[in-house]
């Protein structure tokens, strides 16, 4: 996300795990190259660094497993109306998104949520970046592969691009 806004793109970052304030401070730290715990001591430098950023960033936090892609779509539409059409959506992270359908198995719920996220990307004609959890076996390897995707292998099959 921070690279995209440095390049002049507009980013909507959705967090289901961390507070929007905390995520904003992480962006501030990355852009200014000031360590996270030193941000308050370097307010002017941080402010100067942020003034050179050409893209816009909107961070929106939601409680985990309470939001579907419909809420994300509605928020993107609101941003567009306010003249801040995103060029990229960052979803932190897809495993904490709730599907619009209800399943009794967690893996089916996660797969459905990822399918809906991909459909949203197609509908909005926007790239969406997200992350997923690794399983326990993945803790002991240097390079993660598809067999290390936690809970549901199907969500990896939905992705257009995977980075390990």
């Amino acid at each position: 996300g921070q690279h995209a806004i440095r390049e002049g793109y507009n980013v909507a970052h959705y967090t289901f795990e961390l507070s929007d304030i905390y995520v904003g401070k992480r962006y501030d730290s990355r852009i200014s190259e000031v360590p996270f715990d030193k941000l308050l001591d370097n307010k002017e430098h941080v402010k100067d660094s942020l003034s050179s950023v050409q893209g816009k960033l909107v961070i929106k936090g939601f409680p985990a497993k309470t939001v579907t892609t419909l809420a994300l779509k509605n928020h993107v539409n609101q941003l567009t109306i306010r003249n801040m059409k995103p060029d990229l959506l960052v979803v932190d992270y897809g495993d904490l998104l709730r599907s619009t359908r209800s399943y009794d198995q967690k893996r089916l719920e996660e797969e459905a949520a990822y399918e809906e996220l991909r459909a949203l990307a197609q509908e909005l004609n926007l790239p969406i970046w997200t992350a997923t959890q690794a399983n326990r076996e993945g803790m002991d390897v240097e390079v993660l592969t598809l067999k290390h995707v936690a809970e549901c292998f199907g969500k990896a099959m939905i992705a257009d691009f995977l980075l390990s």
Side-chain angles (χ1 to χ4, degrees):
Q2 69 89 21
H3 181 75
I5 60 173
R6 279 183 173 206
E7 294 294 317
Y9 295 102
N10 295 333
V11 175
H13 184 121
Y14 298 102
T15 178
F16 309 131
E17 187 173 44
L18 304 170
S19 76
D20 49 354
I21 293 170
Y22 186 83
V23 172
K25 288 180 180 179
R26 288 172 67 178
Y27 273 94
D28 292 349
S29 177
R30 294 280 299 159
I31 292 166
S32 67
E33 298 179 356
V34 172
F36 188 88
D37 61 341
K38 304 284 187 212
L39 286 171
L40 287 177
D41 299 333
N42 295 282
K43 286 181 184 179
E44 287 307 313
H45 174 72
V46 172
K47 201 176 197 179
D48 289 344
S49 298
L50 295 175
S51 69
S52 67
V53 174
Q54 295 177 345
K56 295 177 185 173
L57 171 66
V58 172
I59 303 167
K60 177 77 174 159
F62 295 100
K65 290 290 186 179
T66 62
V67 172
T68 67
T69 54
L70 183 57
L72 301 184
K73 178 182 174 183
N74 289 338
H75 190 258
V76 168
N77 288 338
Q78 289 175 3
L79 292 175
T80 303
I81 289 168
R82 291 189 211 142
N83 208 21
M84 201 310 249
K85 183 179 183 324
D87 300 302
L88 168 68
L89 303 185
V90 176
V91 176
D92 184 18
Y93 60 99
D95 294 13
L96 298 178
L97 189 64
R98 186 169 58 91
S99 170
T100 58
R101 297 170 293 213
S102 183
Y103 295 95
D104 57 349
Q105 294 180 8
K106 184 178 178 182
R107 68 182 180 84
L108 297 175
E109 170 91 15
E110 285 188 9
E111 184 175 357
Y114 274 77
E115 286 172 346
E116 292 167 16
L117 199 57
R118 187 171 197 280
L120 179 65
Q122 290 175 317
E123 184 178 344
L124 297 175
N125 195 29
L126 289 173
I128 297 177
W129 283 73
T130 191
T132 190
Q133 291 278 326
N135 60 23
R136 289 179 193 243
E137 185 183 339
M139 292 175 54
D140 299 323
V141 298
E142 197 168 312
V143 177
L144 298 172
T145 66
L146 288 178
K147 73 178 183 178
H148 300 114
V149 173
E151 196 60 46
C152 175
F153 180 74
K155 60 189 174 182
M157 302 310 294
I158 295 160
D160 290 317
F161 173 77
L162 295 170
L163 176 66
S164 165

